[in-house]
Amino acid sequence: MKDMGIKKKRGNFPKQFNESMNSFPEIPLSPRMEENIEILKSAYQDCSDVVFRDFSIGSSEMKAVLLYIDGLSNTEVVDQHVLMPLIQMKDLEYDSILEIVKKEISVSDIKEIYTIPDVFKQVSIGNTIILIDEQSKGISIGLPKWEKRSIAEPESEPVIRGPREGFIETIRVNTSLLRRKIRHPLLKMKQMDIGGYTETQVIVAYIEGIADSALVEEVTNRLKRIKIDSILESGYIEEMIQDSPLSPFPQLLNTERPDVAAACLLEGRVVILIDGTPITLIAPCTFASLMQAPEDFYNPFYISTFIRWLRYIFFFIALLAPSAYVALLTFHQEMLPSSLILTIAGSREQIPFPALVEAFIMEITFEALREAGVRLPKQVGAAVSIVGALVIGQAATAAGLVSSPMVMVVAITGIASFLMPRYAIGISIRMLRFPIMILSGVMGLLGVMLGITTIVAHLCTLKSFGVPYLQSAAPLKIRNLKDILIRAPWWAMETRPEFYSNDASPLRRESKNQMPSPSKGGDES
């Protein structure tokens, strides 16, 4: 999205601001406070929530102004710990404005600012600004306060066994949740602002010494290259930094769970946190990671392995079941047992459509019901989707539009798609199911094999930040298969995945109190 220049002038707002509202020039603060206030009031014209509070510092009658946004700043603390001490000052024996603030204001987060854009930036994040006459710099006081959602279990990633906390829309709360999981100074968090108007805070988190420095640099460079007016959700960033934007497969893992993000950091991956959304992005992403659920690592390894195999089996059922049914009925009836083909033929005797059209009708109807259940209010959404599927399926069968076996196949396919642990891979399967159905209706099982071959070839060429998407199956690396088709016991997983991390040292060290150097990686999970 290209930045749009704004030509219309706003009062006495400087011309250079009007030409590009989202790329402010570095105009320094003037020693004349009236000039600074004139620029700021012109910029905040028709902004009823922006407060300018004129006052005098102590008995010296030194003019000053307090600037903050009502609703973003803690007004009670501003009144008690900022405004009142400055007004009640009896003498001014300090050499600089910063000394005045440090001596009289009991707030820890204080820093000097020197330009008009710095004022805009600090005010927009909830800080309070003090401007004093005859001073060519201002003071930013960190007193943000706004309403935020309480920490709760993510509804999109529920678990039976595991932590019940999830990320929220406030980025500093999210970083604190990660710090609680990984209590080590080698956990680094680089901050940048993206979006010409929103200036959304984005943090790149990684563990120094474990994450590959080239991966961290690549993620940071891709984020810096983003030129857009706004970042309102993580999907904006995901679409702009992935390797193959036209691929139907997700190339970044997303999660709302701090434990998942912490585990990925300990593997050597990079976590991207975005202010304003509970969804965090994880790079790189592989097909195997999309088929893993958090509970795989909390349950006994044999239970997790069984469930993971079940998940892979139903992955193929969700992708190929309708296509295989259409191919067998249309081209390969001889492959079915005689009794079964007679039963299916009897149920399809009054059906006016070929198997392909019948499958399309049922699949599209099922997807529409599923989407309607998501968009409806929570109290009625599930009931509508379930009852709607039953009623429509029964009515369609009774009316002779679809056969009972087709209803059963579509139902099994829908259930199989619910086993996918990640919504992103589930929606990819739902999309690819339709072109494979067309191929099966035109060429039979040959078309199904052609579709599978095309998908596998695409997956083999797909990469996520330089990591092959099918790693470690293609290219094959035996030592890294312990967490792909099986979940090996923890005592057998002694090294980190080498395709994520540049640290292949054991996860368990002799002494937990030993401080590792950056070359030896972080502590154990």
Side-chain angles (χ1 to χ4, degrees), residues 34-253:
E34 292 81 4
E35 294 182 3
N36 299 327
I37 299 303
E38 182 180 5
I39 295 176
L40 294 172
K41 286 187 175 181
S42 298
Y44 288 118
Q45 185 178 1
D46 298 329
C47 297
S48 59
D49 56 340
V50 179
V51 178
F52 289 85
R53 172 64 162 86
D54 298 321
F55 67 99
S56 298
I57 299 179
S59 57
S60 66
E61 299 298 326
M62 180 183 292
K63 295 182 179 180
V65 66
L66 201 68
L67 171 61
Y68 62 89
I69 296 179
D70 190 12
L72 292 183
S73 296
N74 193 331
T75 55
E76 296 181 0
V77 178
V78 170
D79 293 341
Q80 296 178 6
H81 296 276
V82 177
L83 192 58
M84 185 180 298
L86 291 178
I87 292 177
Q88 295 178 351
M89 283 184 61
K90 296 182 180 180
D91 52 46
L92 296 175
E93 299 178 353
Y94 311 114
D95 296 332
S96 69
I97 179 176
L98 188 57
E99 287 191 30
I100 296 175
V101 176
K102 286 182 177 179
K103 294 290 184 180
E104 301 298 331
I105 297 178
S106 55
V107 179
S108 59
D109 186 7
I110 297 175
K111 60 182 177 182
E112 297 181 354
I113 54 176
Y114 300 92
T115 65
I116 294 293
D118 288 340
V119 176
F120 291 144
K121 183 175 181 179
Q122 296 300 317
V123 169
S124 66
I125 62 176
N127 291 347
T128 301
I129 305 298
I130 298 178
L131 299 176
I132 301 177
D133 197 18
E134 299 181 0
Q135 298 288 337
S136 60
K137 56 187 174 181
I139 297 297
S140 172
I141 305 173
L143 293 173
K145 181 183 179 182
W146 52 80
E147 297 298 327
K148 58 179 180 289
R149 182 168 60 91
S150 60
I151 298 174
E153 181 179 6
E155 295 183 1
S156 61
E157 298 177 76
V159 295
I160 297 175
R161 180 175 182 177
R164 295 294 192 271
E165 59 186 9
F167 290 126
I168 64 173
E169 288 75 13
T170 306
I171 194 168
R172 281 306 166 197
V173 175
N174 296 342
T175 57
S176 68
L177 291 173
L178 280 181
R179 289 287 183 187
R180 285 175 55 191
K181 299 288 184 184
I182 305 176
R183 304 174 184 180
H184 203 287
L186 288 179
L187 173 58
K188 308 300 181 181
M189 297 188 180
K190 293 182 178 180
Q191 179 177 325
M192 61 186 71
D193 298 331
I194 303 178
Y197 287 92
T198 59
E199 293 189 353
T200 305
Q201 294 183 27
V202 177
I203 290 180
V204 177
Y206 63 96
I207 299 181
E208 185 179 358
I210 296 181
D212 191 345
S213 57
L215 172 62
V216 176
E217 184 179 1
E218 179 64 21
V219 172
T220 305
N221 291 337
R222 292 192 190 186
L223 291 173
K224 289 180 179 179
R225 288 197 295 265
I226 295 177
K227 302 298 180 183
I228 193 172
D229 283 347
S230 62
I231 298 292
L232 302 179
E233 213 281 326
S234 60
Y236 288 53
I237 291 178
E238 181 177 4
E239 190 171 341
M240 299 186 74
I241 66 174
Q242 58 187 353
D243 292 64
S244 303
L246 299 181
S247 174
F249 291 94
Q251 293 147 61
L252 283 94
L253 190 66

